């Protein structure tokens, strides 16, 4: 199982083309979006208090989806 802490999180930066939202979840005080862009997947974390959104490193579907399952408890 991939540890959530192993991901590198960076401040959100606007990119083009726009990424596609694959899934959405609210966990604790954060909104999480599983995103897809150009064949890569990543997770965007937005604090509910309006803080700066963060993005995980980009990777292949299987790696990022495993972290998504760890964060959300979804299968």
């Amino acid at each position: 199982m991939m540890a959530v802490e192993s991901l590198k999180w960076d401040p959100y930066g606007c990119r083009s083309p726009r990424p596609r939202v694959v899934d959405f979840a609210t966990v604790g005080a954060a909104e999480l979006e599983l995103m897809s862009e150009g064949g890569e997947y990543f997770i965007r974390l937005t604090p509910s208090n309006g803080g700066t959104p963060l993005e995980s490193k980009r990777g292949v579907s299987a790696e990022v989806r495993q972290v998504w399952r760890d964060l959300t408890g979804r299968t």
Side-chain angles (χ1 to χ4, degrees), residues 22-55:
V22 177
D23 200 359
F24 177 85
T26 301
V27 178
E31 298 171 357
L32 301 171
E33 296 169 287
L34 177 61
M35 310 292 289
S36 171
E37 180 182 46
E40 294 182 314
Y41 289 80
F42 61 98
I43 299 169
R44 181 178 297 153
L45 181 149
T46 304
S48 297
N49 65 3
T52 303
L54 300 173
E55 290 184 354

Side-chain angles (χ1 to χ4, degrees), residues 1-74:
M1 175 163 52
M2 178 184 270
V4 173
E5 295 81 22
S6 69
L7 283 183
K8 179 178 179 279
W9 295 87
D10 295 316
Y12 168 69
C14 187
R15 293 179 177 84
S16 184
R18 188 172 185 167
R20 180 176 67 92
V21 177
V22 177
D23 200 359
F24 177 85
T26 301
V27 178
E31 298 171 357
L32 301 171
E33 296 169 287
L34 177 61
M35 310 292 289
S36 171
E37 180 182 46
E40 294 182 314
Y41 289 80
F42 61 98
I43 299 169
R44 181 178 297 153
L45 181 149
T46 304
S48 297
N49 65 3
T52 303
L54 300 173
E55 290 184 354
S56 71
K57 71 173 185 160
R58 291 163 184 256
V60 296
S61 175
E63 292 173 352
V64 177
R65 285 182 183 271
Q66 179 61 51
V67 174
W68 180 256
R69 285 190 292 274
D70 292 346
L71 287 169
T72 64
R74 295 181 182 175

